Amino acid sequence: GPFAGLRLSGAPATVGRGGEHLRFRFAGPGQPRAGGTPALALPLISFGAGKAWESLIAELPGGRAALPELRWDILFQIATNNWRPSNGAPVDPVQLQLLDIRRSDAP
């Protein structure tokens, strides 16, 4: 599903060996009264996006410092979470996979 005009809740966290994957958290453009945008309650995982994200940040005027002020349009899908930690800890069977992200003011 698509969402537009979102803000990052913080810098994306790196996941996996060498930071190849990223975990994003977003806040909705206008949070509903009932405690947030339900579809954004889970973090979104972006597989293999580490280098592309670093390139995008390098092109931003102001770099990382600009992130809190920017709004983003995203496209994601709901998928089965196949990752199993080596310690056997339970994981949510559902994950949101971030498929695409762009600045809301991008042409």
Side-chain angles (χ1 to χ4, degrees), residues 57-97:
I57 297 303
E59 295 174 7
L60 288 177
R64 290 187 191 286
L67 287 177
E69 303 305 316
L70 298 176
R71 292 191 180 261
W72 301 91
D73 299 338
I74 65 169
L75 179 65
F76 70 93
Q77 69 182 3
I78 300 170
T80 302
N81 185 353
N82 295 316
W83 178 73
R84 297 294 173 258
S86 58
N87 65 3
V91 295
D92 192 323
V94 174
Q95 69 181 357
L96 303 181
Q97 293 177 352

Side-chain angles (χ1 to χ4, degrees), residues 12-27:
T14 56
V15 180
R17 295 183 187 129
E20 60 196 290
H21 313 307
L22 297 173
R23 182 179 297 123
F24 288 82
R25 289 191 178 273
F26 293 96

Side-chain angles (χ1 to χ4, degrees), residues 22-58:
L22 297 173
R23 182 179 297 123
F24 288 82
R25 289 191 178 273
F26 293 96
Q31 299 287 10
R33 289 187 300 270
T37 305
L40 298 175
L42 294 174
L44 288 91
I45 187 85
S46 184
F47 293 111
K51 289 181 182 175
W53 179 253
E54 289 303 318
S55 294
L56 190 149
I57 297 303

